[in-house]
Amino acid sequence: MHLFRAGMKKKSTIVTILFLVVVVGIVGCYAYFSGKAREGADPAATAVSKALGRDLLNDYPPTVKEVVKYYTELQKCLYNEEYSEEEFEQLGKKSRLLFDQELLDANDETFHLVELRQEIEAFHTQKCTIASISVASSTNVFFFEEDGYEFARILCKYTIRENGSPQLSETMYLLRRDEDRRWKIYGWEQLKKEEG
């Protein structure tokens, strides 16, 4: 009887060791392949899908700065990244969701997307990329009222690399608060472009 128990203990120990080896092997393979998948992920596709993934109906940017910041994130994708024709249209339409109704009325969607495509092609022809974008801090937003509407101005600085040479471009964005109290882009003005 004693020999039988010893044999059982030996067999259960071997089974336990084999089980642990298999579990460690599976966990190791999973870690290895999931790490490879992350390394192989296309960063451009990640930037585009991240930008497109925001649900503006339920997660609209709450401040003037955040609206412009998200708009410039979409711009950076449009001007710097690679994407499909469908993603181009989605990025363009997502940008338009940040526009004030008057700006939308003044810019037909089809015409706007055609014009946007031409601007991007010209940008690439000049071998330009957006190196960085800096939106002014929330404390530097200028608020004012006019004709019964709330407006806000915020400065945004772009560093554009053209043939490797940096240039600074400043744009002043004008936003207007709509009836849902959401800040919408009413327009913008390019202030200056200087050698970096």
Side-chain angles (χ1 to χ4, degrees):
M1 193 73 165
H2 181 69
L3 289 174
F4 179 71
R5 268 193 246 146
M8 287 294 287
K9 282 184 182 177
K10 190 175 181 182
K11 284 182 186 177
S12 66
T13 304
I14 290 171
V15 169
T16 304
I17 290 171
L18 284 173
F19 178 76
L20 288 174
V21 168
V22 170
V23 168
V24 168
I26 291 171
V27 170
C29 286
Y30 175 79
Y32 175 79
F33 286 114
S34 65
K36 282 288 184 191
R38 275 194 298 271
E39 287 173 16
D42 182 7
T46 305
V48 170
S49 58
K50 181 183 170 200
L52 289 174
R54 185 165 191 165
D55 175 11
L56 290 179
L57 193 63
N58 298 309
D59 186 25
Y60 193 85
T63 65
V64 170
K65 179 178 179 166
E66 290 301 314
V67 170
V68 174
K69 197 171 167 188
Y70 180 56
Y71 180 69
T72 60
E73 184 182 326
L74 292 167
Q75 283 183 311
K76 205 165 182 184
C77 287
L78 282 163
Y79 285 86
N80 281 9
E81 308 296 352
E82 290 185 20
Y83 42 77
S84 67
E85 185 60 34
E86 183 184 352
E87 287 171 326
F88 164 75
E89 286 190 19
Q90 289 173 348
L91 288 165
K93 289 177 180 180
K94 194 72 106 166
S95 299
R96 290 177 61 86
L97 292 174
L98 300 171
F99 290 177
D100 183 88
Q101 191 58 50
E102 276 191 44
L103 184 59
L104 290 172
D105 292 343
N107 291 280
D108 172 70
E109 183 179 296
T110 305
F111 177 75
H112 176 236
L113 292 177
V114 168
E115 195 174 59
L116 180 60
R117 170 67 78 196
Q118 291 170 347
E119 285 177 15
I120 292 167
E121 286 172 1
F123 191 77
H124 291 165
T125 300
Q126 295 169 0
K127 294 185 169 58
C128 293
T129 56
I130 299 174
S132 66
I133 302 172
S134 173
V135 181
S137 71
S138 295
T139 57
N140 290 329
V141 177
F142 175 69
F143 295 96
F144 64 99
E145 286 191 27
E146 193 172 296
D147 298 328
Y149 291 103
E150 292 178 73
F151 287 92
R153 280 196 194 100
I154 188 167
L155 183 66
C156 184
K157 295 181 181 182
Y158 296 81
T159 303
I160 310 292
R161 288 203 177 278
E162 185 173 347
N163 287 321
S165 174
Q167 295 182 341
L168 178 67
S169 175
E170 295 185 338
T171 301
M172 183 67 74
Y173 285 93
L174 178 64
L175 291 86
R176 180 168 74 167
R177 197 170 237 169
D178 69 8
E179 63 272 4
D180 296 321
R181 306 218 26 92
R182 292 178 168 181
W183 289 104
K184 299 282 188 156
I185 297 172
Y186 190 72
W188 57 83
E189 178 185 10
Q190 189 169 341
L191 302 181
K192 58 185 174 182
K193 194 172 183 177
E194 299 174 349
E195 293 296 321

